[in-house]
Amino acid sequence: MKREYPFYLKTPAIMLGLVITVFILSVLRDILVPLAFAALIAILLNPLCVRLETKITKVLAIVISMMIAIVAVAGLAYFLSSQIAHFFDNVDAMKQKFSELLVIIQKWLEQTFGIGAKKQIQMVNEAANGSKAVIGQTLSGALAVLSVVFLIPVYTFLIMLYKTLILNFLYEVFSEENQQKVGEILTETKAAIQSYIVGLLIETGIVAVMNSCALLILGVQNAILIGVIGAILNLLPYIGGIIAIALPVLMATLTKDGFTTQLLIIASYAIIQFIDNNILVPRIVSSKVQINALISIVIVLMGAALWGVPGMFLSIPFIAVLKIVFDRIDGLKPWGKLLGDNIPTEHMGQLKRLRRRNLRPKETSDEHTS
């Protein structure tokens, strides 16, 4: 017989396991982050590689698939760099406008809260001293990005090369009774990640075009660059959208007088977000795994705390894979329901009470009959 352990013993064991897992993920960050991105890229390139393998050798098919991906990324990087070069054309004018705004803010703080100019300067200096550690982390993160750029292609190539070996290991490590479930989980995971990433790329491109067109019509400087950055930030659920709106508003504040443009930017982005959330995401992304808003925000923040910015982008695919696994295992199905966005109309306690009420009259009538 299978032994059941009491709740007060299982809970500490589960919590200890989670703490150890988080610690390992944090310590092995520099290894696992590029490996996770490489796994996603390998899954994305797998259909193209499989098609090419019917005509050429496996190694050559992998190389061609990766070259196509590298050319696409290089084209995007060249486009962004050319737009960034134009960003510095009017830096002097923006500096002057920023200085004027700073003086206005200082006067407003002094009149409203009674904070003098010296006190404000002191607070700014303290904040600057406190941000030195953050700057150091940013520089170390930039160095980590350079290492990731070289590691990801290597990891991707090796994962695609040893794909059969990895899949056979995942099948053989489980008993024959569970191999069917493992196959279903792997198939569903691959399909969900592929549809999610491809749909996300298409959605990002459409949002980038809409953002850029709206900012160009409103006459915002560096409209294309800000529009593309906003679309990329939109990949982060809910949080990225707020930052994406703040960027063009800040640019309009530094380059234009009054607040009409800022209000029009907010209205335009609100319309774009409505189109994105109600038309693009349901029809284009069409992911088989839907995560509710609460879990999405929490997991993105947890990913940021654990792995920084890369963790924010990896968190949603990671939790989607977890939901697929939870939905396939009987003991973990409640956790899969918790992650999903299907809201039940009534909770279990209320259903039990209704059932009891429906049973009582029947029992009473049976007693009278007897």
Side-chain angles (χ1 to χ4, degrees):
M1 287 182 64
K2 186 178 178 181
R3 185 176 179 182
E4 286 289 338
Y5 292 95
F7 178 78
Y8 61 84
L9 288 180
K10 288 196 295 185
T11 302
I14 294 172
M15 295 299 294
L16 180 61
L18 290 174
V19 170
I20 294 173
T21 302
V22 171
F23 177 75
I24 293 173
L25 291 175
S26 178
V27 171
L28 300 180
R29 168 181 175 173
D30 294 337
I31 299 173
L32 295 178
V33 168
L35 189 62
F37 277 113
L40 292 178
I41 295 171
I43 293 173
L44 181 63
L45 295 179
N46 183 64
L48 175 61
C49 184
V50 170
R51 288 186 180 182
L52 293 175
E53 284 181 21
T54 58
K55 300 179 181 179
I56 55 179
T57 61
K58 183 175 183 179
V59 174
L60 189 58
I62 295 172
V63 172
I64 293 175
S65 302
M66 291 184 60
M67 289 300 298
I68 293 174
I70 291 172
V71 169
V73 173
L76 178 61
Y78 174 77
F79 172 77
L80 290 176
S81 62
S82 63
Q83 293 297 317
I84 291 172
H86 295 294
F87 179 80
F88 296 99
D89 293 342
N90 298 319
V91 172
D92 294 333
M94 285 190 288
K95 283 182 178 179
Q96 183 179 357
K97 183 69 174 180
F98 181 75
S99 300
E100 295 174 359
L101 289 173
L102 191 59
V103 172
I104 295 173
I105 293 172
Q106 286 178 345
K107 291 181 179 178
W108 179 78
L109 289 173
E110 186 173 358
Q111 293 174 358
T112 307
F113 299 102
I115 303 175
K118 292 183 179 179
K119 182 64 176 177
Q120 294 178 28
I121 294 172
Q122 182 182 353
M123 293 170 63
V124 171
N125 291 333
E126 290 176 356
N129 292 330
S131 64
K132 287 181 180 179
V134 177
I135 295 173
Q137 292 176 0
T138 304
L139 293 175
S140 63
L143 296 175
V145 168
L146 293 177
S147 64
V148 164
V149 168
F150 293 103
L151 284 175
I152 288 180
V154 175
Y155 283 155
T156 304
F157 178 83
L158 294 177
I159 289 173
M160 296 177 72
L161 182 64
Y162 296 115
K163 176 185 67 175
T164 307
L165 178 64
I166 296 171
L167 292 176
N168 287 341
F169 165 76
L170 293 176
Y171 278 109
E172 293 174 2
V173 77
F174 294 95
S175 60
E176 293 183 1
E177 299 175 356
N178 296 323
Q179 284 185 356
Q180 184 178 357
K181 282 188 176 180
V182 173
E184 292 174 355
I185 290 173
L186 291 176
T187 302
E188 192 173 346
T189 300
K190 182 182 71 173
I193 291 177
Q194 285 176 351
S195 64
Y196 177 78
I197 296 177
V198 172
L200 215 58
L201 292 175
I202 297 173
E203 178 217 359
T204 302
I206 296 174
V207 172
V209 172
M210 290 193 296
N211 288 348
S212 302
C213 290
L215 296 178
L216 285 171
I217 293 172
L218 295 175
V220 178
Q221 292 186 13
N222 305 294
I224 297 177
L225 175 63
I226 296 175
V228 173
I229 292 175
I232 295 173
L233 289 171
N234 195 51
L235 294 174
L236 302 176
Y238 309 103
I239 299 173
I242 297 173
I243 303 174
I245 295 175
L247 290 177
V249 170
L250 179 61
M251 177 60 67
T253 304
L254 294 176
T255 56
K256 290 180 176 291
D257 297 325
F259 298 98
T260 305
T261 305
Q262 289 88 324
L263 295 175
L264 291 174
I265 289 172
I266 294 173
S268 301
Y269 268 60
I271 295 172
I272 292 172
Q273 286 295 318
F274 178 82
I275 295 172
D276 180 37
N277 295 329
N278 294 279
I279 298 176
L280 298 182
V281 171
R283 298 187 180 184
I284 297 178
V285 178
S286 64
S287 176
K288 294 183 180 180
V289 182
Q290 298 291 340
I291 308 298
N292 66 64
L294 176 62
I295 297 298
S296 297
I297 296 174
V298 171
I299 199 66
V300 167
L301 294 176
M302 291 176 64
L306 185 63
W307 284 350
V309 176
M312 298 176 74
F313 287 97
L314 290 169
S315 57
I316 297 299
F318 173 76
I319 203 68
V321 172
L322 276 184
K323 188 181 185 310
I324 293 172
V325 175
F326 290 165
D327 289 340
R328 292 290 179 178
I329 300 175
D330 294 334
L332 298 175
K333 283 184 178 180
W335 293 96
K337 292 179 181 178
L338 178 64
L339 299 178
D341 63 347
N342 292 326
I343 304 174
T345 55
E346 295 175 335
H347 57 80
M348 295 299 294
Q350 188 175 356
L351 288 175
K352 288 180 179 178
R353 286 195 297 270
L354 290 173
R355 288 172 183 172
R356 288 173 184 171
R357 290 175 184 174
N358 292 333
L359 288 173
R360 283 174 185 171
K362 185 177 180 181
E363 292 172 355
T364 308
S365 61
D366 290 342
E367 290 176 0
H368 287 297
T369 304
S370 61

